[in-house]
Amino acid sequence: MSDEQDYGADRGYVHGGGGRTRLRLPDNDPYGGARRGGRSSSRSLVTVVGVVVLLIAAIAFANRGGDDSAASAQGGGKPAGKAEAASTAATGTEPVTTKSAAGIPSGFARTRQGAQSAAANYAVVLGSTGMFHQDSRHTIVTTVYTADAATGLQSALDQAYSADFLAKMGLDADGNAPKGSTFVSRVVPVGTTVQQYTDTAAKVAVWYVGLIGMSGERSTDPVTTSWKTWTFDLRWADGDWRVASDTQTDGPSPVPGDDKASTSDEISKAIEEYGGFTYAR
């Protein structure tokens, strides 16, 4: 799976709420005049993706056949919202050294750090362009989710990632971008925290920034960012951490900086040149 398949009173600026934040546009707008201040279709597309994620969470919850009380009833668990403070500095723990046949990190340690690493890596995979192609999506789901959860997800996701939905994303029925354009869908974890933990179950939240949109000369849906928190209910199954259910919430979102937006060509080149990471605490 490749990295691809893996904005006013002042000129050139758009002010945020109360005129407190600004984002600089390039002198030549490569996105056909699209503006972050307007309600572009890319914003609605992000909402649609969010609906798909909530669908995943609902189905996985119905199929996990477990009881959340198990995680808190056993030693070391903490109720949601009462997570222990965790340093964002690296711990020195090495990343996993094995990957599945599809290139998805696997073999996570049966520890708190291992659960955090699994959640971060799974967020990256589930937020990738691979989810927009049926074959790779099926592989991702069967690799990342528990067997029970995956069984209930496949057909529902095939319906969710319909030809109509893909068309709204600017993709063809097979999930491919138009010639000369680059579809971008990436999740970049900022940090993780353990909300509950036992050696058989864990609840881990991943704070991340997401990139989504179409980069190309004719694109009217520029690549935009969104800040969210993705919470995973993990189970230890088949010698690894697997996702039993997951939910997403908006934020926390930083105040946008006074950054000059890059051109379409610069974004496309960056997506092609900069690969992702294998994450570990």
Side-chain angles (χ1 to χ4, degrees):
M1 184 169 58
S2 69
D3 289 327
E4 290 186 43
Q5 306 222 190
D6 138 19
Y7 296 119
D10 298 336
R11 180 182 177 184
Y13 290 92
V14 166
H15 293 259
R20 292 172 292 182
T21 63
R22 302 184 302 172
L23 177 64
R24 179 93 184 274
L25 282 170
D27 295 332
N28 295 316
D29 186 353
Y31 292 92
R35 293 293 184 270
R36 189 179 297 275
R39 191 170 181 81
S40 70
S41 58
S42 62
R43 182 177 296 274
S44 64
L45 296 181
V46 172
T47 301
V48 175
V49 173
V51 171
V52 173
V53 172
L54 291 178
L55 172 64
I56 293 174
I59 297 176
F61 180 84
N63 283 280
R64 65 182 176 177
D67 184 349
D68 275 345
S69 62
S72 58
Q74 301 180 46
K78 280 185 175 290
K82 298 292 185 179
E84 293 181 352
S87 171
T88 56
T91 61
T93 298
E94 293 294 328
V96 293
T97 57
T98 59
K99 292 186 177 183
S100 69
I104 302 172
S106 62
F108 299 99
R110 195 172 185 176
T111 63
R112 297 172 69 93
Q113 291 184 23
Q116 291 179 81
S117 183
N121 282 285
Y122 291 164
V124 171
V125 174
L126 291 169
S128 71
T129 55
M131 290 294 289
F132 294 81
H133 302 270
Q134 187 180 71
D135 290 344
S136 57
R137 180 172 65 249
H138 285 186
T139 300
I140 290 170
V141 171
T142 55
T143 302
V144 169
Y145 285 89
T146 62
D148 288 343
T151 298
L153 282 174
Q154 294 290 22
S155 61
L157 284 175
D158 287 343
Q159 293 179 34
Y161 285 89
S162 64
D164 287 343
F165 168 73
L166 294 175
K168 290 178 181 178
M169 302 297 291
L171 305 170
D172 64 20
D174 294 321
N176 300 312
K179 184 177 181 180
S181 296
T182 302
F183 178 61
V184 181
S185 181
R186 282 198 185 187
V187 162
V188 184
V190 176
T192 60
T193 186
V194 178
Q195 296 181 344
Q196 298 175 353
Y197 180 79
T198 72
D199 63 356
T200 59
K203 177 174 286 191
V204 181
V206 181
W207 181 34
Y208 74 88
V209 57
L211 307 177
I212 191 166
M214 188 75 73
S215 179
E217 293 183 358
R218 299 181 180 181
S219 173
T220 57
D221 295 316
V223 179
T224 59
T225 60
S226 62
W227 289 86
K228 294 181 181 293
T229 299
W230 205 337
T231 303
F232 295 92
D233 279 306
L234 303 174
R235 297 290 182 270
W236 185 261
D238 300 322
D240 214 341
W241 290 109
R242 309 287 184 186
V243 181
S245 67
D246 54 305
T247 58
Q248 284 204 50
T249 57
D250 293 334
S253 303
V255 175
D258 190 15
D259 299 314
K260 179 180 178 180
S262 298
T263 65
S264 173
D265 286 343
E266 289 172 328
I267 293 295
S268 295
K269 183 177 180 181
I271 291 298
E272 294 171 356
E273 293 185 347
Y274 294 87
F277 295 97
T278 296
Y279 289 84
R281 283 291 293 162

